[in-house]
Amino acid sequence: MTARQQIGDDVTAAAPRRRRLEPDERREEILVCAMHLFGERPYAAVSTTELAARAGVARGLINHYFGTKRDLYLEVVRRMVTIPRFAIEQLPQGPLETRVRAAVDWFLEGVDRNSKAWLAATGAIGQDPEVEQILADADETAADRVLEAASLSAAAPELRAMVRSYGGMVKSAAREWLVRKDLTREQVHLILSTTLLSLIRDAAPRLTGDRRSGA
């Protein structure tokens, strides 16, 4: 038996027993396993065989649901950095402060739960054009979501730029917490929520007011 065969046998033996799942559930299970693996190691160090073994599926199912390993990796990045619509729809009713705190808490909970994958995804700037495009698209989606939640115009370029700028601060603050560990999660929550409130209440009206006045 060759070393390669032995490794393959070990991976197969470690695979969990397959369970019968609906297609959407199986796809999600594969995606979650990929998030963990790509968060733990670089893209090149993760094999399709290992992905299939971790998810407890045949390798062909990965191709069926996602295409290539590269396609699956890009889907992981997209999932980690894109704010879904339901995140806005599930915000509680009530004062702006309550909604902002809930939105920031939702974000930090997701980052905390998948910190390695999130750090790997957001740290790929300048390394991969396709990943950079996904990150840029995610910034625009974030602008849509935040402005919608704040009842502000998503068509105003100044406001979109404001939210994109805030997004840069969000990523930096999260890294201060997760990597440098100079801030706690609670401190990051305070910084992000108070800053977003100030931007919505104070900066946004002045930005759009300056545009209307021609200043």
Side-chain angles (χ1 to χ4, degrees):
M1 178 180 293
T2 67
R4 183 180 296 275
Q5 288 172 326
Q6 181 63 53
I7 291 172
D9 288 347
D10 290 344
V11 169
T12 301
R17 181 173 297 178
R18 295 177 187 170
R19 296 176 292 116
R20 185 178 297 278
L21 297 176
E22 294 298 322
D24 288 348
E25 294 176 309
R26 180 64 75 190
R27 185 182 189 280
E28 182 67 16
E29 187 175 70
I30 294 171
L31 185 58
V32 169
C33 289
M35 287 164 55
H36 292 159
L37 284 173
F38 287 129
E40 293 168 1
R41 298 198 297 281
Y43 171 81
V46 178
S47 70
T48 306
T49 298
E50 185 179 13
L51 283 165
R54 178 73 70 92
V57 301
R59 288 179 58 181
L61 273 183
I62 293 179
N63 301 123
H64 172 72
Y65 287 120
F66 296 97
T68 64
K69 185 182 83 166
R70 170 71 173 176
D71 294 328
L72 174 55
Y73 170 71
L74 294 177
E75 185 61 27
V76 166
V77 174
R78 190 174 292 107
R79 168 67 68 89
M80 291 310 307
V81 300
T82 304
I83 299 176
R85 173 165 290 281
F86 73 77
I88 301 302
E89 295 172 343
Q90 70 183 12
L91 288 177
Q93 298 298 316
L96 179 62
E97 295 93 331
T98 300
R99 293 171 61 79
V100 165
R101 285 196 296 268
V104 172
D105 193 56
W106 176 88
F107 168 76
L108 294 179
E109 176 63 29
V111 169
D112 198 6
R113 188 170 57 250
N114 301 287
S115 59
K116 292 180 179 179
W118 185 86
L119 287 169
T122 57
I125 296 177
Q127 302 175 15
D128 188 318
E130 286 185 281
V131 171
E132 284 199 64
Q133 186 60 56
I134 291 173
L135 295 173
D137 292 343
D139 287 343
E140 294 301 328
T141 298
D144 289 334
R145 302 287 189 257
V146 171
L147 294 173
E148 177 186 350
S151 299
L152 296 173
S153 172
E158 306 94 331
L159 298 186
R160 299 189 69 83
M162 178 187 77
V163 176
R164 289 195 300 269
S165 299
Y166 173 72
M169 177 185 174
V170 169
K171 295 169 190 173
S172 179
R175 288 180 175 275
E176 292 290 337
W177 160 41
L178 296 170
V179 180
R180 295 177 61 92
K181 302 188 185 302
D182 287 336
L183 293 173
T184 65
R185 173 174 165 170
E186 291 72 23
Q187 288 170 329
V188 171
H189 191 290
L190 174 66
I191 292 169
L192 297 183
S193 58
T194 54
T195 300
L196 184 54
L197 271 172
S198 178
L199 289 173
I200 294 171
R201 284 178 166 173
D202 304 325
R206 295 180 64 179
L207 286 172
T208 54
D210 288 346
R211 174 163 59 90
R212 287 194 297 269
S213 67

